[in-house]
């Protein structure tokens, strides 16, 4: 009878623990990134009244006689099942679809979380606003004007300098891809104003000097008299300002002299594709590959050189590929197009906004229209994520049985994808918890009845002798 009393007590205690876990699950049903717990029971030691006996020639075997001494908790598991994603529309709210945890810096110690309700503090650092822990990842580096995102380095805090400056960049390349209408008539001698308009095709694009000051690059095309597939082109920088039109063009690895020619000739094949180009000094491009003209112009707002000459700004005018037509200048019997595809200069700008993609890459959007990679959010996975220890604040830490953190970008080595503008909700199922609560309650009641019945038996013993 005493054994049944203590078995009942163990049942009460452990069902109470199970009820505690259920209560914690239900209380966190709306906690971002919460993972529910589950209690598993097991029986404990047995008192053996009689051991087993093997069969003999005369008698068969006898099974052991054992009395159980109650039950205990086998495990309290954390079920890392994907929670439902809720759209918030806030760019710093992040969720992970699949395996992995965000990494937070807690005063120099790494902790991990599935709750991605982040924000930017006054220093531009991405943090968890509830506790100030800093989100970890990798910041981009500028090496020789090239943005490099090295995810092999140790993780660090992520800084998003909202309002920070994006420096001006001088134009170094202009890609040219217009079409010249083969039907345009030749320009006669002493043309009238109407003839000049009908026989000239002009294209214009904005370019930038080292100060970020905008200039208008204009290229005017006219048919070469007496030819079928050749056009003269005249390059002018800032046509509205005569003092800054001192542009010159040519082939070679160095910019042409300030007093060089400002015209060149473009030749096309009978297929309408680019064949070659010739500068004003008679230099001809090669018969394959890219056709590029070197252009230089005076920067009137710059301080003159020590010898008193004007500062020259240089860039490459890329006409396309010999024989190409997709991103090359062409000559077809179609309307001429004003299309200089792209130039790589920009004015100074300020960081207006930023976006986070599914790989966790943070891209800054600047007021000058440029974009730049700022950094990338890191994700950690574990050999046994169920072995992580809970710290509160929606965070976990490494334990002896979780294994070491495998840190890297999302989408690699089993790491899930990041979804910006969403949060992962709790994975607690209310119906499941209520059913489990009923089962736990009935188990608690049954064990209390065991104690009550054992007590009645003891009472009967006490009344044997009166």
């Amino acid at each position: 009878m005493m054994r049944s009393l203590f078995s009942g007590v163990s049942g009460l205690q452990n069902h109470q623990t199970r009820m505690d876990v259920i209560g914690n699950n239900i209380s966190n049903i709306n906690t971002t990134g919460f993972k529910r717990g589950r209690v598993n029971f097991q029986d404990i030691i047995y008192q053996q009244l009689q051991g087993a006996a093997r069969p003999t020639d005369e008698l068969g075997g006898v099974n052991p006689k054992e009395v159980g001494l109650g039950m205990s908790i086998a495990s309290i598991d954390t079920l890392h099942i994907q929670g439902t994603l809720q759209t918030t529309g806030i760019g710093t709210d992040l969720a992970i679809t699949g395996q992995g945890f965000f990494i937070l810096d807690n005063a120099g110690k790494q902790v991990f979380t599935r709750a991605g309700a982040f924000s930017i503090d006054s220093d531009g650092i991405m943090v968890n606003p509830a506790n100030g822990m800093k989100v970890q990842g990798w910041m981009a580096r500028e090496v020789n004007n090239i943005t490099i995102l090295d995810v092999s380095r140790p993780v660090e805090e992520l800084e998003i300098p909202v309002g920070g400056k994006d420096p001006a960049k001088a134009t170094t390349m202009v890609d040219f891809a217009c079409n010249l209408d083969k039907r345009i008539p030749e320009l006669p001698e002493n043309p009238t104003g109407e003839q000049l308009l009908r026989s000239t095709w002009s294209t214009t694009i904005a370019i930038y000097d080292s100060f970020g000051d905008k200039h208008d690059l204009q290229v005017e095309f006219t048919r070469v008299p007496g030819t079928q597939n050749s056009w003269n082109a005249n390059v002018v920088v800032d046509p509205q300002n005569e003092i800054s039109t001192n542009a010159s063009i040519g082939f070679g690895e160095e910019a042409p002299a300030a007093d060089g020619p400002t015209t060149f000739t473009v030749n096309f094949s009978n297929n309408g594709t680019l064949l070659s180009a010739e500068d004003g000094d008679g230099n001809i491009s090669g018969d394959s590959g890219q056709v590029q003209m070197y252009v230089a112009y005076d920067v009137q707002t710059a301080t003159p050189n020590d010898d008193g000459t004007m500062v020259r700004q240089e860039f490459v005018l890329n006409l396309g590929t010999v024989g190409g037509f997709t991103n090359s200048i062409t000559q077809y019997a179609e309307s001429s197009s004003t299309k200089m595809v792209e130039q790589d200069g920009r004015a100074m700008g300020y960081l207006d906004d930023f976006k986070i993609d599914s790989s966790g890459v943070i891209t800054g959007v600047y007021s000058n229209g440029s974009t730049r990679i700022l950094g990338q959010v890191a994700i950690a996975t574990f050999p046994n994520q169920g072995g992580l220890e809970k710290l509160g604040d929606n965070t976990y830490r490494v334990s002896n049985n979780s294994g070491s953190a495998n840190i890297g970008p999302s989408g690699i080595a089993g790491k899930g994808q990041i979804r910006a503008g969403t949060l992962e909700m709790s994975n607690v199922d209310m119906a499941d918890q209520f059913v489990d609560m009923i089962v736990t309650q009935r188990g608690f009641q049954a064990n209390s009845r065991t104690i009550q019945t054992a007590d009645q038996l003891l009472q009967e013993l006490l009344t044997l002798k009166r």
Side-chain angles (χ1 to χ4, degrees):
M1 287 183 292
M2 296 300 295
R3 288 190 295 256
S4 63
L5 275 175
F6 288 114
S7 293
V9 169
S10 69
L12 289 179
Q13 291 174 335
N14 293 314
H15 275 84
Q16 179 60 56
T17 300
R18 180 170 177 171
M19 189 63 206
D20 292 339
V21 172
I22 294 172
N24 182 64
N25 289 342
I26 294 175
S27 68
N28 285 282
I29 192 166
N30 289 318
T31 299
T32 302
F34 178 79
K35 301 302 178 184
R36 72 178 185 265
R38 180 185 65 183
V39 178
N40 294 316
F41 293 147
Q42 65 182 7
D43 52 0
I44 52 175
I45 60 175
Y46 285 80
Q47 181 179 0
Q48 192 173 83
L49 302 179
Q50 178 182 316
R54 69 179 59 187
T56 65
D57 293 340
E58 295 80 14
L59 299 173
V62 177
N63 294 327
K65 298 180 178 67
E66 298 171 321
V67 178
L69 300 181
M71 51 88 75
S72 66
I73 294 175
S75 65
I76 302 178
D77 302 325
T78 300
L79 303 182
H80 292 274
I81 300 171
Q82 177 74 52
T84 303
L85 300 188
Q86 179 185 27
T87 301
T88 66
I90 300 174
T92 52
D93 283 349
L94 305 179
I96 300 175
T97 58
Q99 302 296 316
F101 297 81
F102 298 112
I103 307 167
L104 301 178
D105 181 86
N106 182 18
K109 298 179 180 179
Q110 282 187 353
V111 296
F112 308 92
T113 184
R114 291 282 294 193
F118 304 135
S119 67
I120 308 300
D121 68 8
S122 59
D123 292 332
I125 306 299
M126 182 179 285
V127 299
N128 182 339
N131 48 37
M133 297 180 187
K134 300 177 180 179
V135 182
Q136 301 291 284
W138 303 274
M139 292 297 296
R141 300 285 191 271
E142 292 286 335
V143 179
N144 297 326
N145 294 322
I146 299 176
T147 300
I148 296 177
L149 191 57
D150 184 6
V151 297
S152 65
R153 296 183 292 108
V155 292
E156 58 190 327
E157 62 187 37
L158 294 170
E159 180 181 0
I160 302 176
V162 177
K165 295 179 181 178
D166 181 38
K169 180 179 182 296
T171 298
T172 61
M173 174 74 74
V174 176
D175 292 329
F176 214 95
C178 72
N179 179 66
L180 301 177
D181 191 346
K182 184 172 176 61
R183 299 166 298 186
I184 290 180
E186 294 181 5
L187 185 65
E189 295 184 5
N190 303 318
T192 63
E194 180 182 356
Q195 290 174 324
L196 187 62
L197 289 174
R198 292 181 58 191
S199 300
T200 303
W201 182 250
S202 177
T203 61
T204 304
I205 192 173
I207 59 174
Y208 298 87
D209 60 27
S210 58
F211 298 104
D213 195 10
K214 185 173 70 172
H215 301 273
D216 291 329
L217 170 65
Q218 178 178 291
V219 183
E220 294 181 335
F221 293 92
T222 57
R223 296 280 300 275
V224 175
T227 65
Q228 295 297 325
N229 298 322
S230 296
W231 296 71
N232 287 323
N234 183 50
V235 177
V236 181
V237 178
D238 287 340
Q240 73 281 5
N241 186 357
E242 293 183 357
I243 64 172
S244 62
T245 58
N246 189 15
S248 54
I249 65 171
F251 291 103
E253 297 182 356
E254 296 182 358
D259 57 353
T262 61
T263 60
F264 65 93
T265 302
V266 183
N267 301 312
F268 297 96
S269 68
N270 287 329
N271 294 326
T273 57
L274 181 62
L275 183 62
S276 64
E278 181 179 351
D279 66 18
D281 292 328
N283 300 308
I284 301 177
S285 65
D287 55 3
S288 63
Q290 294 287 316
V291 178
Q292 296 178 333
M293 309 294 294
Y294 290 84
V295 182
Y297 65 96
D298 293 339
V299 181
Q300 299 294 324
T301 57
T303 301
N305 297 315
D306 294 339
D307 59 2
T309 59
M310 297 296 297
V311 173
R312 302 283 283 169
Q313 190 73 56
E314 307 167 7
F315 64 91
V316 173
L317 188 64
N318 183 23
L319 302 179
T321 305
V322 173
F325 61 89
T326 302
N327 291 315
S328 300
I329 187 171
T330 57
Q331 176 197 242
Y332 290 111
E334 289 291 340
S335 298
S336 297
S337 61
T338 303
K339 186 179 181 184
M340 281 187 270
V341 176
E342 188 178 5
Q343 62 86 32
D344 59 358
R346 61 176 181 266
M348 190 197 79
Y350 295 92
L351 182 62
D352 281 344
D353 196 6
F354 62 92
K355 307 293 183 183
I356 303 177
D357 65 15
S358 61
S359 297
V361 174
I362 307 169
T363 302
V365 180
Y366 291 85
S367 59
N368 58 3
S370 67
T371 59
R372 179 188 299 178
I373 294 177
L374 303 177
Q376 186 172 12
V377 179
I379 288 182
T381 53
F382 298 88
N384 175 27
Q385 59 186 1
L388 293 171
E389 294 181 2
K390 293 181 178 180
L391 294 177
D393 288 338
N394 278 340
T395 60
Y396 303 83
R397 69 180 175 189
V398 175
S399 75
N400 292 334
N401 195 39
S402 66
S404 300
N406 183 346
I407 299 175
S410 68
I412 297 176
K415 297 173 179 62
Q417 298 289 324
I418 291 177
R419 295 290 181 264
T422 61
L423 290 176
E424 182 183 6
M425 304 306 293
S426 168
N427 68 353
V428 175
D429 186 313
M430 183 69 79
D432 177 72
Q433 295 302 302
F434 278 3
V435 170
D436 203 9
M437 187 187 303
I438 293 172
V439 173
T440 303
Q441 181 183 9
R442 295 308 180 193
F444 188 91
Q445 288 177 336
N447 280 275
S448 67
R449 289 299 177 88
T450 300
I451 296 174
Q452 183 180 7
T453 303
D455 178 61
Q456 291 174 350
L457 293 175
L458 288 173
Q459 184 65 30
E460 289 294 326
L461 285 175
L462 292 174
T463 60
L464 284 177
K465 185 177 184 305
R466 294 182 182 178

